[in-house]
Amino acid sequence: MFQDQVIWITGASSGIGEALAIAFAKQGAKLILSARRKNELERVKSACGLPTDQVLVLPLDLLEQAKMPEKASFALQQFGHIDILINNGGISQRSLAVNTSLDVDRRILEVDYLGTVALTKALLPHFIARQKGKVVVISSLVGKFGTPYRSSYSAAKHALHGFFDSLRAELDEHSIDIQIICPGFIHTEVSKNALTGDGTPLQKMDKATSSGMPPERFAKKAIQAIYRGTPETYIGGKERIGVYVKRFFPAIFRRMIVRAKVR
Ligand SMILES: NC(=O)c1ccc[n+]([C@@H]2O[C@H](COP(=O)([O-])OP(=O)(O)OC[C@H]3O[C@@H](n4cnc5c(N)ncnc54)[C@H](OP(=O)(O)O)[C@@H]3O)[C@@H](O)[C@H]2O)c1
């Protein structure tokens, strides 16, 4: 399905991004792997088992948005073109809004929202010139509804939906697809890395994440959705029901979410 396609994955050093990289490698794709930790990206590169010239490790920090055009030029020099950008890198939150410093609110928005927007904008001229391309965004079910302990994270993910829904409409005439994938609970390091109110990571696997879907299973489902071109996809367990309860029974949803086990 993805033989020889050039696919750029952010957040590729761990969890969902790592599982996506390995799954795309099995399909014979060419990969650009990005995140901050170069050593972890090299580990994922080896795990992909592709010829070394088919995988580029390209470290980047989503906080450093001004560097995105330079990163995009470098990636384009290596492979000549890019078929798919998968915006997956991000950071979660485990703190009540009342206990969360504004610096933490800002950092989550900078990484999850503005970093993603900056990298996408750096590649848009390339996709438009080719009249071809696909941008995938790994949002979250909390991009569809807010839950306790996720105020800024939910806000950042909701912002992604606003931006990328608008972009999808703008790019329709250029044959560029925008696809948003919303994971539920997936068993990754996400809760360990999630920021608490003072900006320190939680460093704990929470119960909901630990009983979540294995990332390999998530990757399999995500790849099918990417292949089909589905504009918006929800992948996870029964927590997906929240999307429909909020849409059709908002009063019930408001009562339900107060008691939700989100940690
Ligand atoms: N797991 C879940 O239950 C779940 C649910 C909904 C949505 N998601 C979303 O799925 C995506 C992947 O998360 P995950 O579950 O795989 O968690 P993870 O294991 O913590 O992976 C997060 C990835 O993002 C990268 N990252 C974090 N901050 C970054 C920064 N400033 N610049 C560049 N890269 C950065 C990390 O790499 P470095 O540390 O090396 O930079 C890592 O590769 C995230 O967008 C998350 O919001 C996950």
Side-chain angles (χ1 to χ4, degrees):
M1 294 192 294
F2 294 95
Q3 180 77 34
D4 292 327
Q5 298 249 315
V6 181
I7 304 176
W8 188 351
I9 306 172
T10 68
S13 61
S14 153
I16 287 176
E18 173 175 353
L20 283 171
I22 291 169
F24 278 121
K26 285 193 183 128
Q27 306 239 348
K30 296 177 180 168
L31 299 174
I32 302 163
L33 305 179
S34 290
R36 288 165 302 176
R37 290 168 300 163
K38 190 166 187 284
N39 55 336
E40 289 301 310
L41 292 172
E42 293 291 351
R43 178 186 61 74
V44 175
K45 177 177 175 171
S46 305
C48 284
L50 289 170
T52 49
D53 62 345
Q54 283 195 34
V55 189
L56 170 68
V57 164
L58 181 51
L60 62 76
D61 187 338
L62 289 164
L63 278 174
E64 297 179 339
Q65 290 121 24
K67 291 190 180 165
M68 297 309 172
E70 178 197 314
K71 300 283 176 186
S73 307
F74 191 79
L76 284 168
Q77 269 166 31
Q78 298 297 305
F79 287 117
H81 73 274
I82 285 156
D83 294 292
I84 307 177
L85 168 65
I86 303 186
N87 288 301
N88 164 73
I91 192 144
S92 190
Q93 176 187 14
R94 293 295 184 276
S95 54
L96 296 173
V98 69
N99 299 329
T100 305
S101 77
L102 204 56
D103 280 348
V104 171
D105 295 323
R106 193 175 287 115
R107 197 150 112 214
I108 292 171
L109 279 164
E110 288 276 345
V111 172
D112 292 356
Y113 175 64
L114 278 178
T116 296
V117 167
L119 181 59
T120 303
K121 282 189 169 196
L123 269 187
L124 278 187
H126 169 68
F127 286 146
I128 292 171
R130 282 189 96 205
Q131 293 287 293
K132 190 174 169 180
K134 207 184 252 285
V135 180
V136 178
V137 183
I138 305 297
S139 170
S140 167
L141 289 182
V142 305
K144 301 299 290 181
F145 53 80
T147 77
Y149 295 93
R150 306 281 198 283
S151 51
S152 293
Y153 178 64
S154 176
K157 295 294 189 181
H158 273 75
L160 287 172
H161 284 256
F163 181 87
F164 283 96
D165 283 348
S166 296
L167 192 62
R168 185 188 293 113
E170 290 178 10
L171 296 179
D172 183 66
E173 62 175 312
H174 300 292
S175 310
I176 298 161
D177 290 339
I178 302 288
Q179 295 182 249
I180 304 179
I181 299 179
C182 304
F185 293 116
I186 313 298
H187 189 135
T188 68
E189 304 283 285
V190 72
S191 66
K192 289 188 184 170
N193 295 328
L195 300 186
T196 60
D198 63 4
T200 54
L202 183 69
Q203 287 181 320
K204 211 179 92 194
M205 172 73 80
D206 59 26
K207 215 170 156 193
T209 306
S210 130
S211 50
M213 178 183 280
E216 298 74 20
R217 187 146 161 247
F218 172 89
K220 207 169 160 194
K221 287 174 180 284
I223 281 182
Q224 283 163 2
I226 293 168
Y227 181 70
R228 284 197 296 268
T230 321
E232 192 167 289
T233 309
Y234 315 125
I235 303 177
K238 62 179 183 343
E239 62 276 14
R240 284 172 304 160
I241 295 166
V243 176
Y244 305 100
V245 178
K246 184 186 175 193
R247 189 178 304 159
F248 298 114
F249 309 103
I252 293 176
F253 177 82
R254 280 192 290 272
R255 286 198 298 275
M256 194 178 97
I257 205 63
V258 173
R259 293 184 302 275
K261 300 265 183 293
V262 294
R263 295 193 300 159

